Amino acid sequence: MALERVSSNKAFGGDLIKFKFKSESLGGLDANFNVYLPPEAKQTSVPVLIYLAGLTCTEDTGAQKGGFLRDASAEGIAIIFPDTSPRGAGIDGEDADWDFGTGAGFYLDATASKWSKYYNMYSHITAELPEVIKESGLPIDWSKKSIFGHSMGGHGALTIYLESLKTNSPFLSASAFAPISNPIKAPWGEKAFKGYLSGGLEEAKSKYDATEAITKAKGPLKILVDSGTSDNFYKQKQLLPENLIAAAKSAGHSEADVNIRIRDGYDHSYYFISTFAPEHIQYHAKILKA
């Protein structure tokens, strides 16, 4: 699984580099990702953040629009930007809808036979990508890792973080912008889970729903979430942050451990993300460099 360097751009004293490789998790398809290496990476291995983008996005969206690189450079932290789904699997119906199939992998491992060869973004993010990067020799310290994301990617970040707490290699913190917080009760989540998973919503409930998972998570947790009141998807009950707030509170997690902020007047866009991006990078930096 050798990495092929596709491009490189200098940014804030560091380097944003695009790579691709043949992904076993994604059925042998090419997988692209970007990695931002801060100036410190020229001398030593650095902590790392993984950013998971939302529906219709690619590995370029967060790198280009998120406003993360300046603060990552200042804090000496690498950021990895994976893609949001396999590309070019050729499955019937894969490109029929914007919120399912290409660009909408939902950060799960598919168990429905139609999708299970290719749609394994959970394994791609949590196992394959770190291993490929380790083998490449890129100067990243995987003992100091955290994860964040937006919308579908916020769902991915929260669920991957909470699931990792059961392992010997947990993510140290998670944050999210406008995450799909309770996807088994949201139209996007219902569509994804009924399509990708042979067990549908019941299968998703145990592993792919942050509101369900947080009730079973052992503290202390390190979670930061921002959502906006002018977000149309918030209004359409796709995000349901109030369900996550209630579940965290009922499970006894403090507001310091699970800090969920509803921002007045902000929407779902990267204008919203870039506004609070510095706070999210600094939140993770404090934990990663402790």
Side-chain angles (χ1 to χ4, degrees), residues 73 116 138:
S73 174
S116 60
L138 286 173

Side-chain angles (χ1 to χ4, degrees), residues 179-208:
I180 307 170
S181 300
N182 195 184
I184 64 169
K185 295 185 178 178
W188 279 337
E190 290 184 20
K191 184 175 183 176
F193 297 149
K194 289 177 180 178
Y196 292 131
L197 302 177
S198 59
L201 296 180
E202 194 60 34
E203 182 180 347
K205 188 175 181 179
S206 65
K207 188 174 181 180
Y208 300 123

Side-chain angles (χ1 to χ4, degrees), residues 179 181-183 185-186 211 234 237-245:
S181 300
N182 195 184
K185 295 185 178 178
T211 295
Y234 172 75
K237 306 298 183 183
Q238 293 280 18
L239 308 180
L240 302 172
E242 61 276 7
N243 293 9
L244 183 61
I245 292 170

Side-chain angles (χ1 to χ4, degrees), residues 147 158 161-162 165 171-176 214 217-226 244-245 247-249 251-261 283-284 287:
I147 190 164
L158 294 176
Y161 166 73
L162 290 166
L165 299 179
F171 285 89
L172 300 183
S173 54
S175 73
I214 206 164
K218 305 297 183 184
L221 303 180
K222 299 296 180 186
I223 292 174
L224 174 66
V225 173
D226 281 306
L244 183 61
I245 292 170
K249 187 176 293 185
H253 300 297
S254 72
E255 290 184 11
D257 288 349
V258 183
N259 186 6
I260 302 172
R261 308 180 296 193
Y283 172 80
H284 293 294
I287 295 164

Side-chain angles (χ1 to χ4, degrees), residues 25-26 52 84-86 100-101 104-112 115-116 118-126 152 155-157 159-160 183 188-198 200 203-205 207-209:
S25 294
L26 308 184
L52 305 182
T84 54
S85 77
F100 186 86
F106 248 80
Y107 304 106
L108 51 72
D109 284 348
T111 53
W115 305 96
S116 60
Y118 298 103
Y119 277 73
N120 299 299
M121 291 302 294
Y122 184 91
S123 291
H124 177 66
I125 299 298
T126 61
M152 176 185 72
H155 141 75
T159 54
I160 286 171
W188 279 337
E190 290 184 20
K191 184 175 183 176
F193 297 149
K194 289 177 180 178
Y196 292 131
L197 302 177
S198 59
E203 182 180 347
K205 188 175 181 179
K207 188 174 181 180
Y208 300 123
D209 188 294

